[in-house]
Amino acid sequence: MSTAKRVFELQQVEQAVQTRLKSLDDLNRQLAHNEAFEKASTELADATKNQAELEKQYKELDWEAEEIRRNLIPVNDKLYSGRVKNPKELLGYEQEAEMLKARLGKKDDVLLDLMEKIEAGKGSLKLLREKFAAAERVWQQEQQELKGQIELLKAELADLENKRKEALAEVDREALTSYENIKKTKGQAVVRVEQGRCMGCRVMLSVSELQRVRGGTIVTCSNCGRILFLN
Ligand SMILES: [Zn+2]
């Protein structure tokens, strides 16, 4: 095998490694989070918090209404027991009872409104829990698949690493040094020659260049500096 072909094969193995490393990166990024699941999770958390807040408001208001009802008992007692005879005093109790009833009425209106909101909230919470559970199932499934793909890629990478070592052992030190140097500046160090052109820069090679390339030794393109490989 010519030196140029050996370097070319080393490059192919290295490029295959790079492609898989990039895929591995993509898969790990996908594994890090899932938009649909996170959205469902946030929606459920927000709705749960909102519902708890409504229930807390209801409890507090209900307690306040209960207190008004308790305060109303002795006032009503004085009004209707017949024990209080003084009209002025009776009028005072009547006014107090009216005031308490009006306050109670307002609280009851708000309580009713809150109760409706709580009931509606229960319905949407149920839906959001179902949505969350479904998103969680899908996400778990996806995670399994992603993990499977990652395992596969890792196995391929281990295999490629062995191939890379083998290919490296085949390349002589001098060729390897120029390969590494060109790779640093050009990215792709070895390029094919097709129809007399360097496929790295598309420039036509001279006859003497082509002849040297055919010899299989390390020849670099006089235009772009890459190692030329003719199959
Ligand atoms: Zn070139």
Side-chain angles (χ1 to χ4, degrees):
M1 197 193 290
S2 73
T3 310
K5 189 170 168 67
R6 283 185 175 133
V7 181
F8 181 75
E9 286 188 350
L10 172 65
Q11 176 176 271
Q12 279 192 309
V13 176
E14 287 190 347
Q15 284 176 347
V17 169
Q18 287 310 312
T19 308
R20 277 158 189 78
L21 283 176
K22 196 188 163 293
S23 303
L24 194 62
D25 218 42
D26 284 348
L27 290 172
N28 277 320
R29 207 172 299 125
Q30 286 176 52
L31 198 59
H33 77 101
N34 177 283
E35 215 169 294
F37 171 70
E38 278 159 21
K39 189 166 172 266
S41 177
T42 309
E43 278 175 356
L44 179 60
D46 288 349
T48 305
K49 198 178 154 210
N50 192 41
Q51 187 76 351
E53 184 55 38
L54 286 175
E55 280 168 4
K56 187 174 161 244
Q57 279 177 27
Y58 185 90
K59 232 177 179 173
E60 283 169 4
L61 213 68
D62 193 39
W63 193 84
E64 286 167 21
E66 199 46 50
E67 200 179 19
I68 298 172
R69 276 190 205 95
R70 272 202 306 275
N71 292 338
L72 203 54
I73 294 169
V75 182
N76 276 336
D77 186 56
K78 283 178 176 111
L79 270 175
Y80 305 116
S81 67
R83 286 195 298 273
V84 181
K85 309 278 188 204
N86 183 327
K88 218 174 173 182
E89 207 179 327
L90 275 172
L91 187 67
Y93 286 127
E94 213 167 276
Q95 280 167 345
E96 196 182 343
E98 286 310 311
M99 185 200 73
L100 287 171
K101 278 182 203 158
R103 275 175 60 198
L104 190 61
K106 274 181 196 159
K107 299 264 180 210
D108 281 341
D109 286 348
V110 182
L111 276 169
L112 199 69
D113 185 48
L114 276 174
M115 180 55 86
E116 277 167 8
K117 281 182 183 156
I118 287 167
E119 284 308 310
K122 277 178 189 168
S124 48
L125 260 182
K126 186 173 176 281
L127 289 178
L128 286 172
R129 276 194 200 102
E130 285 166 7
K131 201 175 149 191
F132 172 79
E136 194 178 36
R137 275 196 300 276
V138 170
W139 176 218
Q140 279 169 351
Q141 178 84 36
E142 276 178 32
Q143 279 176 308
Q144 282 309 105
E145 283 165 18
L146 287 168
K147 281 174 186 166
Q149 288 174 36
I150 286 170
E151 286 313 303
L152 221 68
L153 268 179
K154 282 183 175 168
E156 280 178 20
L157 276 166
D159 187 43
L160 281 168
E161 187 47 39
N162 287 330
K163 283 195 175 132
R164 196 180 76 90
K165 278 179 189 155
E166 282 169 25
L168 258 177
E170 295 287 316
V171 179
D172 65 65
R173 187 183 291 266
E174 201 185 330
L176 189 65
T177 306
S178 56
Y179 168 74
E180 293 293 352
N181 286 337
I182 300 165
K183 197 168 78 175
K184 269 178 212 153
T185 54
K186 308 275 177 187
Q188 184 165 354
V190 191
V191 289
R192 283 180 188 276
V193 173
E194 279 174 21
Q195 290 170 327
R197 282 177 200 277
C198 161
M199 295 316 280
C201 65
R202 308 265 158 179
V203 157
M204 210 67 188
L205 302 179
S206 69
V207 176
S208 70
E209 267 182 316
L210 263 176
Q211 264 171 357
R212 282 192 294 129
V213 172
R214 282 204 185 92
T217 54
I218 295 295
V219 179
T220 54
C221 171
S222 57
N223 184 56
C224 72
R226 294 183 177 95
I227 298 168
L228 298 163
F229 167 60
L230 185 67
N231 205 4

